[in-house]
Amino acid sequence: MQKHFPYPLKYVKYGKVYVSAIGIKWLNEKYFRTKYIEYLEDYKDSLESRISN
């Protein structure tokens, strides 16, 4: 994630690591959404295979 942005997306505050809002948006768009779509496609394929059998 950090490779895509020239500025830091995470920071330390009170000894805890936080991710900025832009970092959260990027994670949602690039990682979580694509993984969820892959999961849905796999689930669809499994349902279709059950129907065809």
Side-chain angles (χ1 to χ4, degrees), residues 34-49:
T34 57
K35 291 295 180 184
Y36 184 65
I37 289 172
E38 289 174 11
Y39 169 77
L40 287 177
E41 289 173 349
D42 291 342
Y43 185 67
K44 177 186 166 197
D45 291 342
S46 70
L47 288 177
E48 288 176 346
S49 68

Side-chain angles (χ1 to χ4, degrees), residues 4 13 24 29 33 49:
H4 297 277
K13 187 175 182 180
I24 297 294
E29 291 175 354
R33 188 176 293 169
S49 68

Side-chain angles (χ1 to χ4, degrees), residues 8-23:
L9 295 176
K10 59 183 177 181
Y11 55 93
V12 178
K13 187 175 182 180
Y14 305 118
K16 295 183 180 180
V17 178
Y18 293 92
V19 179
S20 68
I22 295 170

